[in-house]
Amino acid sequence: MLPQHEIQIRVRYQETDGQTRLHHANYINYFEIGRVELLRAAGHSYRSIEESGIFLVVAEVSCRYYLPADYDDLLTLRTTTVRAKGARIEHHYELFRDHEKLAEGRTVVGCVDREGRVRRLPDWLKGEHPE
Amino acid sequence: MLPQHEIQIRVRYQETDGQTRLHHANYINYFEIGRVELLRAAGHSYRSIEESGIFLVVAEVSCRYYLPADYDDLLTLRTTTVRAKGARIEHHYELFRDHEKLAEGRTVVGCVDREGRVRRLPDWLKGEHPE
Amino acid sequence: MLPQHEIQIRVRYQETDGQTRLHHANYINYFEIGRVELLRAAGHSYRSIEESGIFLVVAEVSCRYYLPADYDDLLTLRTTTVRAKGARIEHHYELFRDHEKLAEGRTVVGCVDREGRVRRLPDWLKGEHPE
Amino acid sequence: MLPQHEIQIRVRYQETDGQTRLHHANYINYFEIGRVELLRAAGHSYRSIEESGIFLVVAEVSCRYYLPADYDDLLTLRTTTVRAKGARIEHHYELFRDHEKLAEGRTVVGCVDREGRVRRLPDWLKGEHPE
């Protein structure tokens, strides 16, 4: 399975703000898309995971912004699984425009069941990062 | 019960776009807030309605934009129940900044149950508009 | 130039709502993406258009919702330029999942300059629809 | 001036996601509203600040999520200016439902001019936190 995956995202008009730049909260949405596409590249669908009764809920998020992204920029988001252990997966994100790094971030997601109880990660989800 | 209700909404920075104006899709979100607050003013909570197994799903929406709204503008949204009959409720919306009308819109919501089957409106929901 | 263009859009988790479906306001955002990509397919970039001092502002929007779209659905949006005349362009949108039509909509955008004054459409913008 | 300010925010339907909870990226939007309202309580309008040619851009953001927020919850957001020095302001955020703390976060915003050049904070902006 893949510990790292890259996708391209084009900045939507609706995602910019009054400074004509990608609004800072939307980076967090991009990170979510990155996680989902990393899963898909590894052969999993987050939708099917939820249908099976497992939910990944965000426990921590952080982002550092280095350079602004403009409307219509075609960005590259690199998502890396840093750690997948117990009930938690830690991802790292780097957002680029060509070779410029615009931002980087980190999330920790926890695994819960339909009732919100903490669950150990299934083995096939942990497999993303060979340790 | 109230056939009409007014609320105030302040334009959020995240809701503006690269033209430094309220993005046009966010008017549709404001209309939803208007419907919910009209219901609340009539003594109902949309959240409780969903918990009771009734869902209001949007079947039609339209909006005409006359003047732009800027970041931080304090707007007045007037929501009117135009018709509530069978399984459908029609609302009309007018958005003002002071005495200027910025936009007006219309939605039709349909009443369905948890499985998505069309349901007649409960009497207390129809009651919003005395006909 | 192209009077019609199709793109694919995958429903993002953040775009769903408490009914686990694509929130109705996000269809309006999808329409905007459809307009922009139709322009791009015709050799224009909306970003460059704005940089040249021409802004397309939304004057009217409407949408009819037939069937819900779920998280992670890969949808097809067909955007058609219905009319481009004077200072206005009218587009029509159809959103599909496979062969099911989920929704259709319409927008009218108006052409203004940096000061918000109405401007006739440049010829190359009108060209999208041979009349 | 006020080093701390509390506001109430009601969770909008559009802000929830397929887990019927406030989507995690929207906390970041709430923090922005908290900063703006803290400024307003101190007698400043962020809109006027931008009109004067000073822009506050987000350099860092982080959030820890403890408990989910549901649709229609009426939340309390407490925003505290932790530090305002040089060209940067650091805020801390705590989000509550009644007496339960749902999340806490932190942002660092930097002061730039219209051309994006770093600027020292004006004295009246620094004044929020007496040191």
Side-chain angles (χ1 to χ4, degrees):
Chain A
M1 287 206 247
L2 302 181
Q4 191 169 89
H5 186 62
E6 288 191 4
I7 58 169
Q8 289 200 304
I9 301 182
R10 192 180 286 281
V11 177
R12 300 174 174 182
Y13 205 83
Q14 169 262 336
E15 294 172 337
T16 62
D17 63 21
Q19 292 174 5
T20 71
R21 305 288 170 71
L22 177 59
H23 187 269
H24 63 282
N26 289 321
Y27 291 68
I28 312 301
N29 291 323
Y30 285 10
F31 295 168
E32 180 173 58
I33 298 169
R35 282 195 299 282
V36 165
E37 296 304 325
L38 181 149
L39 267 176
R40 198 188 316 277
H44 303 297
S45 137
Y46 180 63
R47 177 170 164 172
S48 308
I49 292 174
E50 283 212 344
E51 285 165 1
S52 78
I54 294 174
F55 297 81
L56 297 175
V57 295
V58 179
E60 296 176 35
V61 67
S62 64
C63 187
R64 285 172 177 269
Y65 306 86
Y66 304 127
L67 287 168
D70 288 301
Y71 165 62
D72 210 44
D73 278 350
L74 190 58
L75 308 178
T76 300
L77 176 64
R78 180 187 299 157
T79 304
T80 309
T81 306
V82 176
R83 180 179 295 272
K85 212 176 163 181
R88 294 163 86 87
I89 311 179
E90 181 182 337
H91 290 103
H92 183 247
Y93 309 89
E94 295 160 287
L95 191 68
F96 298 90
R97 180 178 48 215
D98 303 324
H99 294 293
E100 284 183 313
K101 189 184 284 189
L102 305 186
E104 62 192 314
R106 174 186 171 271
T107 57
V108 176
V109 297
C111 188
V112 299
D113 63 18
R114 214 175 286 280
E115 284 69 41
R117 283 180 303 236
V118 174
R119 288 262 313 249
R120 289 185 64 82
L121 294 170
D123 281 340
W124 52 267
L125 255 179
K126 275 198 286 194
E128 281 160 2
H129 186 66
E131 290 186 310
Chain B
M1 287 208 251
L2 303 181
Q4 191 170 88
H5 186 61
E6 288 191 4
I7 58 169
Q8 289 199 304
I9 300 183
R10 191 181 287 281
V11 177
R12 299 175 176 181
Y13 204 84
Q14 169 262 334
E15 294 172 338
T16 62
D17 63 21
Q19 291 174 6
T20 72
R21 304 286 172 70
L22 178 59
H23 187 267
H24 64 281
N26 289 321
Y27 291 67
I28 311 301
N29 291 322
Y30 285 9
F31 294 169
E32 179 173 57
I33 299 169
R35 285 195 298 281
V36 165
E37 295 304 325
L38 181 148
L39 267 177
R40 199 189 316 278
H44 303 298
S45 139
Y46 180 63
R47 176 170 163 171
S48 308
I49 292 173
E50 283 212 345
E51 285 164 0
S52 79
I54 294 173
F55 297 81
L56 298 175
V57 295
V58 179
E60 295 176 34
V61 68
S62 64
C63 186
R64 285 172 177 269
Y65 305 87
Y66 305 127
L67 287 168
D70 289 300
Y71 165 62
D72 209 46
D73 278 351
L74 191 58
L75 307 177
T76 300
L77 175 65
R78 181 187 297 156
T79 304
T80 309
T81 305
V82 176
R83 180 179 296 272
K85 212 176 162 181
R88 293 163 86 88
I89 311 179
E90 181 181 337
H91 291 103
H92 182 246
Y93 309 89
E94 294 160 287
L95 190 68
F96 298 90
R97 181 180 45 214
D98 303 325
H99 295 292
E100 285 183 313
K101 188 184 284 191
L102 305 187
E104 63 192 313
R106 173 186 172 273
T107 58
V108 176
V109 297
C111 189
V112 299
D113 63 17
R114 213 175 287 279
E115 283 70 42
R117 283 179 303 236
V118 173
R119 287 261 312 248
R120 288 186 65 80
L121 293 170
D123 282 341
W124 53 266
L125 254 180
K126 276 198 284 196
E128 284 161 357
H129 186 65
E131 289 187 311
Chain C
M1 286 205 253
L2 303 181
Q4 190 170 87
H5 186 60
E6 288 192 5
I7 57 168
Q8 289 201 302
I9 300 183
R10 192 180 286 280
V11 177
R12 299 175 175 182
Y13 204 84
Q14 170 262 335
E15 293 172 337
T16 62
D17 63 21
Q19 291 173 6
T20 71
R21 304 287 171 70
L22 178 60
H23 187 268
H24 63 280
N26 289 322
Y27 291 68
I28 312 303
N29 291 323
Y30 285 8
F31 295 168
E32 180 174 57
I33 298 169
R35 285 195 297 283
V36 166
E37 295 303 324
L38 182 149
L39 267 176
R40 198 189 316 276
H44 303 297
S45 138
Y46 180 63
R47 177 170 163 172
S48 308
I49 293 174
E50 284 212 344
E51 285 164 1
S52 79
I54 294 174
F55 296 81
L56 296 175
V57 295
V58 178
E60 296 176 35
V61 68
S62 64
C63 186
R64 285 171 178 269
Y65 305 87
Y66 304 128
L67 286 168
D70 289 300
Y71 164 61
D72 210 46
D73 278 351
L74 191 58
L75 307 178
T76 300
L77 175 65
R78 181 187 297 154
T79 304
T80 309
T81 306
V82 176
R83 179 179 296 272
K85 213 175 162 182
R88 295 162 85 88
I89 312 178
E90 181 182 337
H91 290 103
H92 183 247
Y93 310 89
E94 294 159 287
L95 190 67
F96 298 90
R97 180 180 45 214
D98 303 326
H99 295 292
E100 286 183 312
K101 190 184 283 190
L102 305 188
E104 62 192 314
R106 173 187 173 272
T107 58
V108 176
V109 298
C111 188
V112 299
D113 63 16
R114 212 174 289 279
E115 283 70 42
R117 284 178 304 237
V118 174
R119 287 262 312 250
R120 290 185 62 81
L121 293 171
D123 282 340
W124 53 266
L125 254 180
K126 275 198 286 194
E128 284 161 356
H129 186 67
E131 290 186 312
Chain D
M1 287 205 247
L2 301 183
Q4 191 170 89
H5 187 59
E6 288 191 4
I7 58 169
Q8 290 201 303
I9 301 182
R10 192 180 286 279
V11 177
R12 300 175 174 181
Y13 205 84
Q14 170 261 335
E15 294 172 337
T16 61
D17 63 21
Q19 293 174 4
T20 71
R21 304 288 171 69
L22 177 60
H23 187 268
H24 64 280
N26 289 322
Y27 291 67
I28 312 301
N29 291 322
Y30 285 9
F31 295 168
E32 180 172 60
I33 298 169
R35 284 195 298 282
V36 165
E37 295 304 325
L38 181 150
L39 267 176
R40 198 187 318 276
H44 303 298
S45 136
Y46 180 63
R47 177 170 164 171
S48 309
I49 293 174
E50 283 212 344
E51 286 164 2
S52 79
I54 294 175
F55 297 81
L56 296 176
V57 295
V58 178
E60 296 176 34
V61 68
S62 64
C63 187
R64 286 171 177 267
Y65 306 86
Y66 304 128
L67 287 168
D70 288 302
Y71 165 61
D72 210 45
D73 278 350
L74 191 58
L75 307 177
T76 300
L77 175 64
R78 180 187 298 155
T79 304
T80 309
T81 307
V82 176
R83 180 181 296 272
K85 212 175 161 183
R88 294 163 85 87
I89 312 180
E90 181 182 337
H91 290 103
H92 182 247
Y93 309 89
E94 295 159 287
L95 190 68
F96 297 90
R97 180 178 47 215
D98 304 323
H99 295 293
E100 285 183 313
K101 188 184 284 189
L102 305 187
E104 62 192 314
R106 174 185 172 273
T107 58
V108 176
V109 297
C111 188
V112 299
D113 63 18
R114 213 175 288 281
E115 283 71 40
R117 282 180 304 236
V118 174
R119 287 261 314 247
R120 289 185 64 81
L121 294 170
D123 282 341
W124 54 267
L125 255 179
K126 276 197 284 193
E128 282 160 0
H129 187 67
E131 292 187 310

